[in-house]
Amino acid sequence: MTRTIVASATREIIIGFDQPFCVIGERINPTGRKKLAAEMVAGNFETVIKDALEQVAAGATMLDINAGVTAVDPNATEPALLVQTLEIVQGLVDVPLSIDSSVTAAIEAGLKVAKGRPLVNSVTGEEEKLEAILPLIKKYDVPVVAISNDETGISMDPDVRFAVAKKIVERAMDHGIKPEDVVVDPLVMPIGALGDAGRQVFALLRRLREELKVNTTCGLSNISFGLPHRHGINAGFIPMVIGAGMTSAIMNPCRPQEMEAVRAANVLTGTDQNCGNWIMTYRDHKPAEAGAAPAATSAPGASSGRRGGRAARAGAGAKTE
């Protein structure tokens, strides 16, 4: 059974088909969050600290850390800011971290200070990226997210995306990196723009599990981009992708509806043994009263989803704050 091991200084987590779904908290990401970006540039990490603590308290298994505050000379600015952010977060929480950057120098700077065994987010099928990132993965003995696009962009053909994923896994093996240390992102498309986006990703996930035998992840909220009441779509999507074989996702754990779907899927797939986590979480749960007003929904195009790092490299839309 494929098992991807990630760790902080004190906690080890296994991502795998026989493990509870791994929730990678997305909130520490300034892309599309103007207020957070301005704070980080000014050396103010109040929101970073708040987001780190809230996500772990809500049930995040890991935290994604992105410091891409500007497109102006990121090679000069991003490494130091990413290091500072990583050090602050790993001093606050004990969950493993995901180092999220498109800047190779920032990834290596982060790997030098990250404790335990972080996940690197990410590498694509582009030759330049493969040759820059895979040697770092081997050198530091860490797992990496492999995004299924290359120099030609994102294909709408799921067979092409599978071929790109296979290429990355094979190139990783050439570098001495085991397949279990490659976590493939098959690229979730917005269902509002591509009507068969759901069916595409379900089929891709089954192939990735059965043929490549790799763990998988995605930017979960991409599926609902542009639609109203996005969290309802996201919550419905979660158990379906888990059933198809997805083992982790970059998502907002502070959305109760979505986390409830994750926990329910863990119960139904048998990875929450004896329903222990479900019982601990919901034993005092009181259902909403009949006739209660529904929660406010997101406006079309609004997003709680990650938009920087790997999402930007995959061409996802951005939100504003």
Side-chain angles (χ1 to χ4, degrees):
M1 186 66 72
T2 302
R3 294 188 167 193
T4 304
I5 296 175
V6 292
S8 65
T10 57
R11 183 191 296 191
E12 180 180 284
I13 297 295
I14 299 172
I15 303 173
F17 305 120
D18 61 343
Q19 300 295 312
F21 191 68
C22 180
V23 174
I24 305 173
E26 71 182 7
R27 294 290 294 161
I28 302 175
N29 189 331
T31 307
R33 299 180 67 191
K34 294 180 181 179
K35 178 175 178 290
L36 176 59
E39 287 180 359
M40 293 177 71
V41 168
N44 177 355
F45 291 88
E46 290 180 9
T47 300
V48 168
I49 292 169
K50 175 176 175 288
D51 284 344
L53 295 173
E54 285 184 350
Q55 289 183 104
V56 173
T61 317
M62 298 177 60
L63 295 181
D64 190 76
I65 310 297
N66 182 290
V69 296
T70 177
V72 180
D73 200 9
N75 287 294
T77 60
E78 192 168 325
L81 186 58
L82 180 60
V83 165
Q84 190 175 7
T85 308
L86 285 166
E87 290 180 330
I88 288 170
V89 174
Q90 66 188 2
L92 288 172
V93 299
D94 67 346
V95 298
L97 303 180
S98 170
I99 300 173
D100 183 359
S101 179
S102 61
V103 177
T104 302
I107 289 174
E108 183 160 24
L111 285 169
K112 289 178 180 178
V113 301
K115 298 177 181 178
R117 195 170 195 252
L119 176 68
V120 169
N121 190 3
S122 57
V123 68
T124 67
E126 300 164 277
E127 287 298 322
E128 181 181 355
K129 288 296 184 181
L130 290 168
E131 292 306 310
I133 302 299
L134 292 182
L136 292 178
I137 301 306
K138 177 61 178 177
K139 177 181 178 180
Y140 290 93
D141 186 27
V142 293
V144 64
V145 172
I147 301 180
S148 303
N149 70 288
D150 57 16
E151 290 88 351
T152 64
I154 302 172
S155 174
M156 294 299 104
D157 184 343
D159 290 337
V160 173
R161 299 211 298 276
F162 178 84
V164 174
K166 184 177 180 182
K167 169 189 172 181
I168 298 172
V169 171
E170 290 174 346
R171 290 290 290 277
M173 292 175 68
D174 290 342
H175 284 267
I177 301 163
K178 298 176 182 178
E180 55 260 39
D181 280 335
V182 180
V183 180
V184 173
D185 182 343
L187 290 172
V188 171
M189 304 298 178
I191 193 74
L194 187 67
D196 65 345
R199 294 192 300 273
Q200 279 193 9
V201 78
F202 303 147
L204 264 171
L205 287 168
R206 293 185 186 101
R207 290 191 69 189
L208 290 166
R209 175 171 179 163
E210 294 166 8
E211 297 180 38
L212 294 187
K213 297 178 171 56
V214 291
N215 283 309
T216 45
T217 195
C218 71
L220 187 102
S221 65
N222 286 349
I223 192 67
S224 62
F225 185 76
L227 294 176
H229 190 42
R230 297 185 63 187
H231 306 299
I233 296 289
N234 296 345
F237 185 57
I238 287 166
M240 297 184 76
V241 290
I242 292 175
M246 187 166 279
T247 50
S248 69
I250 300 163
M251 57 182 285
N252 186 352
C254 299
R255 297 293 181 182
Q257 186 177 8
E258 295 173 30
M259 285 301 292
E260 187 173 279
V262 168
R263 295 184 180 109
N266 287 338
V267 169
L268 296 170
T269 57
T271 58
D272 182 0
Q273 294 187 4
N274 301 315
C275 309
N277 185 58
W278 181 271
I279 293 168
M280 286 287 292
T281 305
Y282 297 113
R283 59 187 172 189
D284 297 322
H285 178 71
K286 293 180 176 59
E289 294 182 7
T297 61
S298 300
S303 170
S304 66
R306 58 185 261 101
R307 289 290 175 259
R310 56 157 298 290
R313 298 190 286 281
K319 69 169 187 173
T320 57
E321 182 177 80

